[in-house]
């Protein structure tokens, strides 16, 4: 197929996709306009009766978190607490990671450095201008220990700041995270009642960014073609630690 034919085919495909999207939007709008009073009543009833998903069972919370996050293209591993170091070392080797970036207070940094001499473990303890080149060109992965997670939406929670710079989990092509089952809550409302939320003082003095991570970076064009890694990590690897 020559260049002209390719452009023509792409144009037709784009027009078809656009027409299909607008057709669905218009159909929904028309259905709503046919009986606006009933539609408004249904929405009001749904809003009144809606309740966030909830469970107090740790196994149920963990299972929902893992299933929901996996459905969003994350790589989720359920591990025992005494296997954390070996699981991390295996992950780094399997992903061919040679330079790992961690927060300056990451509790596993020294152990990883000692256990994996072939991997350069770098602490993110300098300003962005100093580390910018390495961060965007040389670092293979960022590694975070999450203080909380939301089961309902399969979401990791990170409170950013000096000890957990936001670029650590947003810039490298791979993001590795650990979350303990005891720190998984049912929904966002439950998150606001956790010790992690209180320690971060988010209710009184909100941080610049509260990161809610529900999968690797992804985007889609008008033809609904999903692409990963366009605006952030292409891979999200999560270790859920059993309690």
């Amino acid at each position: 197929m020559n260049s002209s034919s390719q452009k023509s085919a792409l144009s037709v495909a784009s027009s078809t996709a656009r027409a299909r999207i607008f057709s669905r939007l218009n159909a929904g709008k028309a259905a709503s306009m046919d009986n606006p009073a009933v539609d408004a009543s249904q929405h009001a009833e749904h809003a009144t009766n809606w309740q966030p998903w909830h469970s107090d069972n740790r196994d149920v919370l963990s299972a929902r978190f893992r299933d929901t996050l996996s459905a969003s293209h994350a790589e989720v591993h359920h591990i025992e607490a005494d296997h954390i170091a070996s699981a991390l070392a295996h992950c780094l080797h399997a992903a061919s990671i040679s330079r790992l970036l961690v927060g300056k207070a990451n509790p596993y940094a020294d152990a990883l450095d000692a256990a994996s001499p072939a991997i350069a473990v770098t602490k993110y303890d300098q300003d962005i201008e100093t580390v910018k080149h390495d961060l965007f060109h040389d670092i293979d992965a960022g590694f975070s220990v999450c203080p909380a997670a939301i089961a309902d939406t399969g979401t990791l929670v990170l409170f950013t700041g000096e000890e957990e710079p936001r670029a650590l989990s947003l810039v490298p092509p791979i993001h590795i995270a650990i979350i303990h089952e005891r720190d998984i809550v049912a929904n966002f409302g439950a998150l606001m009642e956790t010790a992690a939320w209180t320690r971060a003082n988010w209710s009184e003095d909100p941080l610049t960014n509260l990161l809610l991570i529900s999968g690797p970076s992804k985007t889609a064009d008008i033809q609904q073609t999903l692409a990963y890694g366009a605006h952030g990590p292409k891979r999200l690897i999560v270790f859920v630690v059993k309690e």
Side-chain angles (χ1 to χ4, degrees), residues 64-149:
R64 185 176 180 98
F65 171 76
R66 287 181 280 114
D67 290 345
T68 308
L69 187 56
S70 296
S72 295
H73 209 72
E75 303 165 40
V76 182
H77 305 277
H78 201 199
I79 63 172
E80 301 286 348
D82 55 358
H83 293 164
I84 293 176
S86 59
L88 284 172
H90 180 268
C91 169
L92 297 175
H93 177 74
S96 300
I97 293 170
S98 59
R99 294 199 63 182
L100 180 70
L101 187 66
V102 302
K104 67 179 185 180
N106 190 300
Y108 300 101
D110 293 337
L112 277 174
D113 200 19
S116 308
I119 298 173
V121 179
T122 304
K123 290 187 177 181
Y124 196 153
D125 55 3
Q126 298 175 301
D127 63 81
I128 184 64
E129 293 302 322
T130 303
V131 301
K132 182 186 293 185
H133 182 273
D134 286 351
L135 184 61
F136 281 87
H137 299 284
D138 298 327
I139 295 296
D140 298 315
F143 171 41
S144 304
V145 179
C146 300

Side-chain angles (χ1 to χ4, degrees), residues 16-31:
T16 301
R18 189 181 299 109
R20 185 167 60 249
I21 291 170
F22 280 111
S23 175
R24 290 176 181 172
L25 291 173
N26 290 330
K29 182 178 179 181

Side-chain angles (χ1 to χ4, degrees), residues 176-232:
I176 302 169
I178 284 182
I179 178 70
H180 289 261
E181 284 186 331
R182 63 174 178 268
D183 296 321
I184 300 175
V185 298
N187 52 62
F188 193 87
L191 171 67
M192 297 175 67
E193 298 175 357
T194 62
W197 185 276
T198 302
R199 285 195 303 270
N201 200 30
W202 237 76
S203 296
E204 302 297 328
D205 185 22
L207 304 170
T208 303
N209 279 272
L210 167 66
L211 295 186
L212 303 175
I213 303 170
S214 298
S217 171
K218 50 186 174 290
T219 189
D221 58 20
I222 196 170
Q223 297 182 47
Q224 303 179 35
T225 302
L226 195 60
Y228 290 90
H231 307 294

